[in-house]
Amino acid sequence: MTLLGWDIAGQTILIGAMTGLAYAVLAAGLVLVYRATKVVNFAHGEIGAFGAAVLALLVLDYDWSFFVALPVALVIGAAIGAAVELLVVRRLFRAPRLVLLVATIGVAQLLFVCQLLLPGVEKSAPYPSPLDRNLEIGGVLLGSPHFMVLALVPATIAGLSVFLGRTPYGIAIRASAENPDRAELAGISTKRISTIVWILAAVLAVLTAVLVNPLRGTVVGLPAVALGPSLLLRALAAALLGRMTSMPKALAGGVAVGVVEAVIFSNSGSPGIVDVVLFVVILCLVLLQRNEHDPGSLPTADAARPVPERLRSVWWVRHMMPMLSAAALLLAVVMPLLLTAPSQTFALSRMLLFALIGLSVTVLTAWAGQLSLGQFGFVGLGAFVTVGLTSRGVPFLAAVTYGAVAGVLAALLIGFPALRVRGLFLAVTTLGFAVAARTWLFEQPLFLGEDTVAFMPRPTVLGVDLTSQRSYYYLCLIALLGALLVVVRLRSSGIGRTIIAAKDNEAAASSFAVSPAVAKLTAFAVAGGLAALGGGLLAGLFVQFDGKSFGPEASLQIVAMVVIGGLGSVAGPLLGAVYVVGLPGLLGASGTVALLTSSIGLLVLLLYLPSGLVGVVHAGRDALLGLAQKRLAATEPEPAAPAPARAVETRERMTSTVDRATPALLAEDVEVHFGGRQALDRVTVRADQGEIVGLIGTNGAGKSTLMNVVSGFVRPTGGRVALFGQDVTGWPPHLRAQLDVGRVFQDARLFGALTVTETVQVALEAHGPSQLVPSMLGLPPSLRAERAKRAEAAEHIAFLGLGRYADSYLSELSTGTRRIVEMCCLLAQGSRLLLLDEPTAGVAQRETEAFGPLLKRIQRELDATIVLIEHDIPLMMSVSDRVYCMAAGSVIAEGLPQEVRDDPAVVAAYLGTDERAIARSGALGVLEEV
């Protein structure tokens, strides 16, 4: 059969389906672990490879029967799965998911080393299969590997489905995956269930390796075939079709991936084209998924505590960081003079460039919350663009620059799915890019011409001969220093703050006029440029290389390296590069050093230092600051009483002149449907300028939905919304915020990774957005703007009495204090329309009583209109000029507080219609007291 010029033979489809069934088994194990732990198990393949290696050894060297060796191999796999869960997963059960993901990379490396320690098979032979016969059916030749797949895979999938659907343990697994807390309350031990899941997944991994090796024609010569990123990507594609939850869909997905792979390969003969098509398919699958929010799932190193203001008067405290930085720079400069062997200097240069590439992971993963498992795809792109341009006569430094630009453009393209999804699905996309780049992109004649290996002779730049390892080391050092300055400047600017804010809380960032899409793409662009810059310099360091030098395995290594150093800290990539790359290069690639800096060392560090090596540095720094604080407290007088807060002068806003008669808010006939349920039914609400309008109603009445419609987070299915006379029905939230609209949410979460001062500075971005290039380079426009924002933020903080919390992180504050910070941000925004959704939720009664006067104070300061949702009825009635009452998605009463309070429909909505029950409860008296 021919379709679109492609020949599709029956044998091709059958062989592809057989291979796809093996992918489905691997996908089933991934789905099991993901449902239980919400992490991709990168040790999954190596568990299977180790078990498969044991089976080959038993059958080929010790003449065991295949059917005896197979259960032994499965039991060994189960034991490994149990050991991993008990020794690693259980200890990191409460750790962020990325820490656990990196731990599985360490387990994979350890299992690979264990494979090497197994006795070798004495003679090379095809991977064992129990039957030695072929059968031709309808012109299709089937062999023993195919019979094994047909016999084992359907039975395995059916048995797994019965186990999960019918047995008590299977039901407990599903319950634990759905809601662990409720499962614990029901008497289910989630830890025991986790152990069972890892055992099952390990057994499936071994079975997959045993089935795949004969299908791929593997010749045994230990280590056995490892189920690396390429095969893992195929299993992930199958699992994605089932959204990492559905076994039947994963089975169908595995078969589909296998058939598509077989058809493409039979027509093109290129594995690279298969990987490209698979990448495109994964990209489409990801774009079709619903947004996968996982707030706080990515870990960051413990942030360095800000130096207290009173300690900044101590000379050595004030200059501690500059002195440490100068000492580190001096050490970096003299290292090549102390270690003169070319191999050692090469290792030092490689360490510097890995640190530079690690900075890109810090920007993308720690700041933007976008996990990339394909960062070395951008590194390789920078390297191959550099070698391609230099071979055509472009100067070396110019070629490296163009390579960095290519990395920026590629990162923007790969980053577009981040506008819809984040977390695991996006990580799979970047892994697909890395695999396709390795097998197809880097093999293109555009880069290599007719050669198969790239050759990058080192030139002379500005009179410096870079052929010397030492001179090239100093070039790498200069590049790293430049990248460090850019990243440090970026983090201290509005660009860095908005990227982190969009990661911590997209909705709150949008309400501050920050575009989450722009923030994410900015992070991708900067990260891609840094990674490609490192790649261009690696090309000059390697001199001779091919696509294998930039495989997806290196992407996993770079993520592990940054986590070991401390994700989120600029120093983290430096410390991680010294440990993972520098030590093996300087101490020699012995087995002991390799174990300490990869598998075993990685696991020990994660188990006992989950915040990374930078946590040790921060602990030492805090100890020194504590010592200085004690000495200073013994010598200095009592601090003077703080000056009373004064009114702040808000900056003049660039807003259009609006007629005071125009309502600040007019929502007309708003309708919202969620599926088949109508949440709002022709709701009309008006708030004139200078008013405080209250929205009351029972839970589920539609108040928050209406607030989300007004602020742009929910698009109405009918009606319109106008703000200050401007129809904004189709506008996104961040554009509505630019009309001086401020929003307060129920959870008061804001941005846990930012300090109070930084949070207020994010609010100030609404009317003075930072510029990317001046912020990166520290140019005068950026420096002046940052000084102005910090001064204005300090005024707003002092005005609301938050001075003692100025350098505290939001995650450390009480709910009541965070509520005041929210009010401070509205003040900084200069908001003329405040949308407050239960601003006293979670606040103590004493603080609630003080909230009414605070609200009035802010309204006077801003001359603002306020729309308020509040369940504290006395507070609502005391501050509101008019009140709307909602029930079942409709407005049932509107007017002055007294009128709404006495409305029979309102009384019925709150208290029901049984007058005798109301009288017995005394609830009506409470309402009348309001």
Side-chain angles (χ1 to χ4, degrees), residues 356-371:
L356 192 159
I357 298 165
L359 288 173
S360 71
V361 177
T362 295
V363 172
L364 185 59
T365 302
W367 295 4
Q370 307 296 336
L371 175 58

Side-chain angles (χ1 to χ4, degrees), residues 2 47 222 308 427 477 481 585 651 662 724 732 806 820:
T2 302
I47 293 173
L222 296 180
L477 180 60
L481 291 176
R651 292 181 296 171
T662 302
F724 301 105
I820 300 176

Side-chain angles (χ1 to χ4, degrees), residues 385-749:
V385 168
T386 298
V387 74
L389 291 177
T390 53
S391 66
R392 293 168 172 80
V394 178
F396 175 68
L397 293 184
V400 171
T401 303
Y402 285 126
V405 172
V408 170
L409 297 178
L412 287 174
L413 180 64
I414 301 301
F416 271 108
L419 305 184
R420 285 182 52 85
V421 296
R422 61 186 287 185
L424 169 71
F425 294 159
L426 182 66
V428 174
T429 302
T430 59
L431 181 62
F433 166 69
V435 171
R438 156 68 187 87
T439 59
W440 179 77
L441 181 61
F442 300 157
E443 304 291 334
Q444 296 305 302
L446 176 66
F447 301 124
L448 298 178
E450 299 299 325
D451 299 324
T452 57
V453 176
F455 181 66
M456 175 71 237
R458 294 183 189 171
T460 297
V461 176
L462 301 177
V464 179
D465 184 9
L466 295 181
T467 57
S468 163
Q469 291 286 12
R470 183 179 298 172
S471 60
Y472 201 83
Y473 167 86
Y474 286 120
L475 174 65
C476 296
L477 180 60
I478 292 171
L480 175 60
L481 291 176
L484 275 171
L485 290 176
V486 166
V487 172
V488 169
R489 278 296 314 155
L490 203 61
R491 174 61 183 87
S492 61
S493 71
I495 300 294
R497 291 189 295 267
T498 54
I499 291 174
I500 295 174
K503 182 260 294 187
D504 278 359
N505 192 332
E506 278 192 23
S510 297
S511 72
F512 288 172
V514 173
S515 170
V518 171
K520 291 177 184 179
L521 291 179
T522 299
F524 264 98
V526 172
L530 289 173
L533 173 64
L537 294 173
L538 274 177
L541 179 65
F542 291 156
V543 179
Q544 193 170 349
F545 58 90
D546 59 14
K548 295 179 182 178
S549 303
F550 305 98
E553 297 85 356
S555 297
L556 303 180
Q557 182 189 20
I558 207 75
V559 172
M561 183 195 82
V562 176
V563 172
I564 287 172
L567 184 63
S569 168
V570 175
L574 307 182
L575 296 174
V578 170
Y579 184 81
V580 174
V581 182
L583 291 182
L586 299 178
L587 301 180
S590 66
T592 302
V593 174
L595 284 175
L596 291 178
T597 56
S598 58
S599 54
I600 293 179
L602 188 155
L603 289 173
V604 170
L605 280 172
L606 290 179
L607 291 174
Y608 294 98
L609 293 173
S611 62
L613 295 172
V614 77
V616 179
V617 176
H618 289 166
R621 170 186 174 273
D622 292 344
L624 290 175
L625 291 179
L627 181 62
Q629 181 118 5
K630 289 181 181 178
R631 292 185 176 180
L632 190 63
T635 57
E636 71 177 4
E638 288 293 324
R646 62 183 181 84
V648 296
E649 297 181 3
T650 56
R651 292 181 296 171
E652 182 179 354
R653 309 299 188 188
M654 299 299 294
T655 56
S656 57
T657 303
V658 180
D659 184 0
R660 297 286 294 185
T662 302
L665 163 66
L666 179 60
E668 291 184 308
D669 298 327
V670 173
E671 294 185 356
V672 172
H673 293 84
F674 295 123
R677 185 176 67 88
Q678 185 164 9
L680 293 179
D681 182 14
R682 301 184 63 82
V683 172
T684 297
V685 170
R686 175 189 177 106
D688 293 324
Q689 296 189 45
E691 271 193 312
I692 297 181
V693 175
L695 293 178
I696 64 173
T698 57
N699 290 332
K703 306 183 297 300
S704 294
T705 300
L706 176 62
M707 194 77 84
N708 287 332
V709 169
V710 172
S711 51
F713 294 102
V714 171
R715 176 162 294 192
T717 53
R720 63 184 289 269
V721 176
L723 301 176
F724 301 105
Q726 176 74 52
D727 190 332
V728 298
T729 306
W731 290 21
H734 69 277
L735 291 183
R736 301 190 192 200
Q738 292 177 7
L739 292 178
D740 297 332
V741 177
R743 171 75 190 270
V744 168
F745 297 86
Q746 293 180 14
D747 55 11
R749 188 162 51 87

Side-chain angles (χ1 to χ4, degrees), residues 200-247:
L200 283 174
V203 169
L204 292 174
V206 174
L207 183 61
T208 301
V210 170
L211 295 175
V212 165
N213 283 350
L215 286 173
R216 293 195 162 194
T218 300
V219 176
V220 177
L222 296 180
V225 64
L227 307 185
S230 180
L231 193 56
L232 182 66
L233 187 66
R234 285 153 171 76
L236 283 170
L240 275 175
L241 286 170
R243 289 191 56 81
M244 301 300 291
T245 57
S246 171
M247 291 289 181

Side-chain angles (χ1 to χ4, degrees), residues 15-40:
I15 298 303
M18 298 288 184
T19 307
L21 285 172
Y23 295 160
V25 176
L26 190 65
L30 291 172
V31 168
L32 275 175
V33 172
Y34 180 77
R35 288 178 64 174
T37 62
K38 294 296 183 288
V39 73
V40 178

